[in-house]
Amino acid sequence: MKTKAVLGQTEVTAILAAARAEAQANGWAVTVAVADDGGHLLGLERLDGCAPIAAYIATEKARSAALGRRETKGYEDMVNGGRNAFLSAPVVCSLEGGVPVIVDGQIVGSVGVSGVTAAQDAQVAKAGAAVLN
């Protein structure tokens, strides 16, 4: 029997707080989504002024990073590199801004962010994930 760490509400709250702090320090209105390792939403926070669609996109970025076990930037790079068929892949958001949360070498969840540029979304997501990485 294998054992692994799982995200609890304490960790989800800490991830959301760190991501919020990074976004607010830069004046960015974003939505932050935290998912478990199966891509299921555990927490969501939409900052004031962020467009409602960002809640959907952030959730999909988190789900894709969890299920794919990697940053969603990799998918975006594939598409931008000409692999357009990848756009039809199921349950995958090919936009930068989703990152896995790693504890003791295992992916225990992910963070997805939407609302600003791709690189800024990723910066906020990484700040959230860094709380546990």
Side-chain angles (χ1 to χ4, degrees), residues 17-30 32 47 113 124 127:
R20 179 187 337 105
E22 180 70 19
Q24 289 176 330
N26 289 287
W28 297 333
V30 299
V32 180
L47 300 183
V113 176
V124 173

Side-chain angles (χ1 to χ4, degrees), residues 26-117:
N26 289 287
W28 297 333
V30 299
T31 295
V32 180
V34 179
D36 66 12
D37 63 335
H40 305 285
L41 189 63
L42 297 174
L44 180 81
E45 186 170 346
R46 192 175 90 198
L47 300 183
D48 293 343
C50 186
I53 189 69
Y56 176 81
I57 296 169
T59 300
E60 290 303 305
K61 287 180 180 183
R63 184 164 59 129
S64 296
L67 294 175
R69 304 292 197 248
R70 64 168 135 177
E71 290 189 30
T72 55
K73 182 180 184 334
Y75 300 125
E76 183 172 356
D77 290 345
M78 277 192 269
V79 172
N80 290 340
R83 193 168 176 204
N84 297 329
F86 195 78
L87 289 170
S88 64
V91 299
V92 176
C93 180
S94 11
L95 299 171
E96 184 176 2
V99 300
V101 175
I102 302 167
V103 173
D104 297 329
Q106 295 183 9
I107 294 175
V108 297
S110 60
V111 183
V113 176
S114 181
V116 285
T117 70

Side-chain angles (χ1 to χ4, degrees), residues 7-15:
L7 293 177
Q9 200 56 53
T10 300
E11 292 79 23
V12 171
T13 300
I15 291 167

